[in-house]
Amino acid sequence: MHKEKFEGILSEMKEAGEFKRIKYRLGYCNYCFELWMVLHKRTCNGPLSHRSQYLGPINQAFGEHFENLDQYKHENDFKRCLSGITVEDVKNAVKRADIITEDNSKNGNKLIKYKG
């Protein structure tokens, strides 16, 4: 469901760009924002079959005890996690994400372009 929604948004952006002669550039995307949050605090390279499986790593990374992702996503709870992220954490998250990308490339998994 998330993939279809995301691809729909990209399609709409492309259509709007052609109609309005505006060039959109997507600055960041990640199907799994939960992974991105974990990467700020720790390495997370193993495959998971559903985003709900990031609950444990989120709890460990941020010293929390959320019972489910909905609780984690409540505004105050999420903001508490965000407040614990430093600039150095952001730099580390980018490095960890780059390692995942490199590992995927080495394993024959290619980046997929959709709608340019």
Side-chain angles (χ1 to χ4, degrees):
M1 182 170 123
H2 294 284
K3 181 179 178 187
E4 291 84 14
K5 184 176 181 180
F6 181 73
E7 288 176 349
I9 291 169
L10 292 179
S11 295
E12 290 174 7
M13 286 173 58
K14 185 166 180 83
E15 290 173 23
E18 291 170 357
F19 176 72
K20 296 181 179 181
R21 299 186 193 275
I22 296 172
K23 186 166 187 166
Y24 290 98
R25 293 200 180 260
L26 187 63
Y28 168 76
C29 74
N30 189 330
Y31 285 128
C32 190
F33 189 74
E34 290 79 11
L35 170 60
W36 178 238
M37 288 297 291
V38 172
L39 291 177
H40 285 83
K41 297 292 187 179
R42 58 186 302 190
T43 300
C44 190
N45 289 7
L48 300 176
S49 61
H50 192 270
R51 65 183 357 112
S52 64
Q53 293 175 310
Y54 286 104
L55 183 61
I58 286 170
N59 281 333
Q60 293 171 353
F62 292 95
E64 295 288 347
H65 297 89
F66 300 123
E67 294 180 22
N68 53 54
L69 287 181
D70 287 338
Q71 181 185 6
Y72 151 74
K73 291 179 181 181
H74 279 105
E75 183 176 358
N76 289 339
D77 293 329
F78 182 71
K79 283 182 177 180
R80 187 172 59 250
C81 290
L82 286 179
S83 70
I85 294 176
T86 66
V87 172
E88 192 62 30
D89 291 332
V90 173
K91 292 176 184 178
N92 287 330
V94 171
K95 289 176 187 175
R96 291 177 181 126
D98 286 342
I99 291 169
I100 291 172
T101 301
E102 289 172 18
D103 289 347
N104 281 331
S105 180
K106 288 177 188 174
N107 293 329
N109 299 319
K110 297 182 180 182
L111 291 175
I112 299 170
K113 284 191 172 186
Y114 183 80
K115 298 288 181 179

